[in-house]
Amino acid sequence: MAHARSIAKLFTSRETMEGAGVRLHRAFGYHTIPDFDPFLMFDDFRADRPEDYLAGFPWHPHRGIETVTYMLEGTVEHGDSMGHVGNVDAGGVQWMTAGSGIIHQEMPKPINGRMGGFQLWVNLPRAHKMMDPWYQEISAEKIPLVRLPGGIQIRVISGRIGDTAGPVNPVIADMEYLDVSLDPDSSFTHAVKPGSMAAAYVISGSGRFDQQSKDDLVNRSVVLYGQEGETIGIHAGSQGVRFLLFSGKPLREPIAWGGPIVMNTQEELEQAFSDYEHDRFIRKKS
Ligand code: FE2
């Protein structure tokens, strides 16, 4: 019989300032290395007050990582050094592989007064940190909604539920990213790959995230599962629960992290900042 994983660490996302003055909630980041490996950071930038986000994230570089932006409401206008310009609209995802280098801006804007979304940073393994940058833009209707018996609805951003695969097939990362909604008092059991890390982030309602838990977890709870066990099990409270679930294979490589650039060694990090300073950051294709 499959053995369910237990919660190893449990905390709440913390308010912090980023970009040009965006007030957001960080679920995990620099201080949680290596717990969430292969993921580096997860930011929740749902906000009610435009002054908390309109300053946005003006032009900045990335190297060595992928950023995955998932919008629930409003939009993010973006532009980048590859000449892409566009919007990530509600229900849609931008999957950006920075690889050797990208310079971009990301500006959250309200629609009908509402804006909210999330950004996940996925680490690239040493062998792929300097790959050519690229990105995938996936609109809401391209993300399948799977309904399972027992009041379970899952938007499959990446990974697979039964025969339904998400539209994002990460070239490098072996990972899944699901947006799960459970009806009141319903239960969800999900298999996770052996050796992979699994984590959940509650975005509304409440629920119990392992069998030992007595208390329901609420909005902004961060759950890191232990490595033992083949499944995770969540039981929704009386209002139902909605959460984001991610799992992935840890890279177990050294991390040298400087703001928006994440490499393996200090030399590589210094090289990246020197490249940026001397206008060599963006590799021209031959
Ligand atoms: Fe960025």
Side-chain angles (χ1 to χ4, degrees), residues 258-269:
I261 298 167
V262 185
M263 305 303 289
N264 294 114
T265 68
Q266 198 57 32
E267 284 105 301
E268 290 164 348
L269 200 56

Side-chain angles (χ1 to χ4, degrees), residues 60 62 104 106:
H60 59 276
H62 287 292
H104 74 169
E106 305 160 282

Side-chain angles (χ1 to χ4, degrees), residues 213-228:
S213 297
K214 290 185 183 67
D215 297 324
D216 278 359
L217 303 181
V218 298
N219 189 25
R220 299 206 168 107
S221 299
V222 187
V223 174
L224 176 68
Y225 286 99
Q227 295 275 331
E228 296 256 313

